[in-house]
Amino acid sequence: MPQSPSLSAAAGPKSLVELLRALVRRNEFALLLSLAVLIVFFSLTSGSFLTPRNITNVLGQASLAMVAGLGLGLLVIAGEIDVSIGSLAGAVGIPLVVIMNATGSLELGIAGALLLALCVGAINGFLAAYLGINSLIVTLGSLFVIRGGIYLYTGQKAIPDDVMLESFYQLGNGRLLGAVPYPALVALVLLVCFIYLMRHRPFGRKLYAVGGNPEVARLAGYDVKRVKFFAFVICSLLAGISGILLSSRLGSAVHVAGLGFEFQVVAAVVLGGVSLAGGIGSLFGVALGVLILSFLANGLGMLNLATEWQLVTTGLIIIAAVAFDELKRRAK
């Protein structure tokens, strides 16, 4: 039976109000608002902050953490964690540059780098998912093994790009139409693909189910171990892509590349609303968390705030985000 015009008119505003309330309650809205406040504040306090050059520079730098953050966010949603991604991001530069120097092929170098990332992800996933070893312990061990391997192989010296491939330099430093950094485009494409995966594909639903309650997911017919294994593999592959972009920006395989990178990514994931307990969060929130921390660091640097105070500020934000997540979890 068709509604009368009066009923439709009454339902319209009410539905709009309910929609606005739902949007306001979402974690992403608070993150977007925080990002907007940061940009406005630093724009008013620094004349060079809101310039096209500075904004695109920040986006280019943030893209590395965003790519790795997508993988880590996906893994944390599944109820696990990987703190070896920083060391892995630094390690993939070695096969990338060595193979590229030997063959003159960027494609073969990228294949070698991704193969290393795939192997590390498979080992971490097997130990954590199938053998049941705590993922923090497994990946902490991987962090030290990989970093030690980097130092041993390189002798704590950089491995330069001897063939001077222009395509290698452009990958991390080039800009589309002279404006948009290529790493930012890579991050955007991956963000869209993985948001689609998490929202519209069965594997995304399985990740949320496994992270929320593994036993219930198992009873529902999901192969919990397999889901977690592939989450580790994807996380390592995305960390590898981030490492490839990092090596390209540096123009070489540097032994200290990626040092401390894992903490930056973990901070963005937590700030983005992904619960460390698993099963809660979104990759769009992770992307916003990366942007907030990146613009915050850039703005504080323009205000000539000492690096020590930048670290303190970032740490306080992380603690506040974790505390807020815990309070929300207890309230539910």
Side-chain angles (χ1 to χ4, degrees):
M1 180 178 177
Q3 287 183 321
S4 65
S6 59
L7 287 176
S8 299
K14 184 178 180 181
S15 300
L16 181 59
V17 170
E18 290 175 351
L19 176 62
L20 290 174
R21 286 177 178 173
L23 288 174
V24 169
R25 284 196 296 266
R26 289 184 64 87
N27 181 64
E28 289 85 352
F29 178 83
L31 292 170
L32 276 171
L33 185 61
S34 301
L35 180 60
V37 170
L38 272 180
I39 292 175
V40 170
F41 173 76
F42 288 125
S43 299
L44 295 175
T45 54
S46 175
S48 55
F49 177 81
L50 198 61
T51 60
R53 182 175 181 82
N54 184 59
I55 296 299
T56 54
N57 284 340
V58 174
L59 291 177
Q61 294 166 5
S63 59
L64 305 183
M66 190 176 297
V67 171
L70 294 176
L72 184 63
L74 179 148
L75 182 61
V76 174
I77 287 172
E80 303 292 342
I81 194 167
D82 187 346
V83 295
S84 68
I85 55 176
S87 294
L88 179 57
V92 296
I94 295 175
L96 170 66
V97 175
V98 169
I99 294 175
M100 192 174 63
N101 286 340
T103 65
S105 171
L106 175 61
E107 292 76 13
L108 288 177
I110 290 176
L114 292 179
L115 180 60
L116 173 60
L118 177 65
C119 292
V120 171
I123 293 171
N124 287 340
F126 176 77
L127 294 174
Y130 286 100
L131 296 188
I133 305 174
N134 184 281
S135 58
L136 176 62
I137 302 302
V138 168
T139 57
L140 186 62
S142 296
L143 181 156
F144 288 114
V145 170
I146 296 170
R147 184 60 63 182
I150 293 172
Y151 290 159
L152 288 171
Y153 185 88
T154 63
Q156 301 191 39
K157 296 179 181 179
I159 303 176
D161 168 22
D162 292 333
V163 291
M164 301 295 290
L165 285 180
E166 179 63 20
S167 56
F168 176 58
Y169 173 83
Q170 288 294 328
L171 183 63
N173 299 282
R175 292 171 179 254
L176 180 66
L177 302 176
V180 184
Y182 287 142
L185 292 175
V186 173
L188 178 61
V189 170
L190 290 173
L191 175 63
V192 172
C193 291
F194 277 95
I195 286 178
Y196 175 80
L197 171 74
M198 297 299 287
R199 291 186 177 179
H200 302 291
R201 304 306 302 167
F203 184 68
R205 293 192 290 272
K206 290 177 183 178
L207 287 170
Y208 280 106
V210 167
N213 193 318
E215 183 60 22
V216 172
R218 186 186 65 81
L219 294 175
Y222 296 153
D223 189 336
V224 174
K225 293 179 180 179
R226 184 179 180 184
V227 170
K228 290 191 174 186
F229 174 82
F230 280 106
F232 274 102
V233 172
I234 293 172
C235 180
S236 291
L237 283 174
L238 289 177
I241 294 174
S242 181
I244 291 169
L245 295 173
L246 176 60
S247 296
S248 175
R249 287 178 68 90
L250 298 174
S252 60
V254 182
H255 61 283
V256 293
L259 197 62
F261 182 62
E262 59 274 2
F263 301 114
Q264 179 186 352
V265 178
V266 169
V269 168
V270 172
L271 181 60
V274 178
S275 173
L276 293 175
I280 298 173
S282 74
L283 298 185
F284 182 57
V286 172
L288 291 174
V290 171
L291 291 176
I292 288 173
L293 290 179
S294 298
F295 278 109
L296 178 66
N298 178 260
L300 293 177
M302 286 194 166
L303 295 179
N304 295 319
L305 190 68
T307 304
E308 295 83 355
W309 283 107
Q310 294 182 37
L311 294 173
V312 169
T313 304
T314 303
L316 290 175
I317 291 174
I318 296 167
I319 293 171
V322 173
F324 183 66
D325 172 64
E326 182 64 21
L327 290 174
K328 282 198 304 181
R329 204 160 60 86
R330 290 184 181 183
K332 289 181 180 180

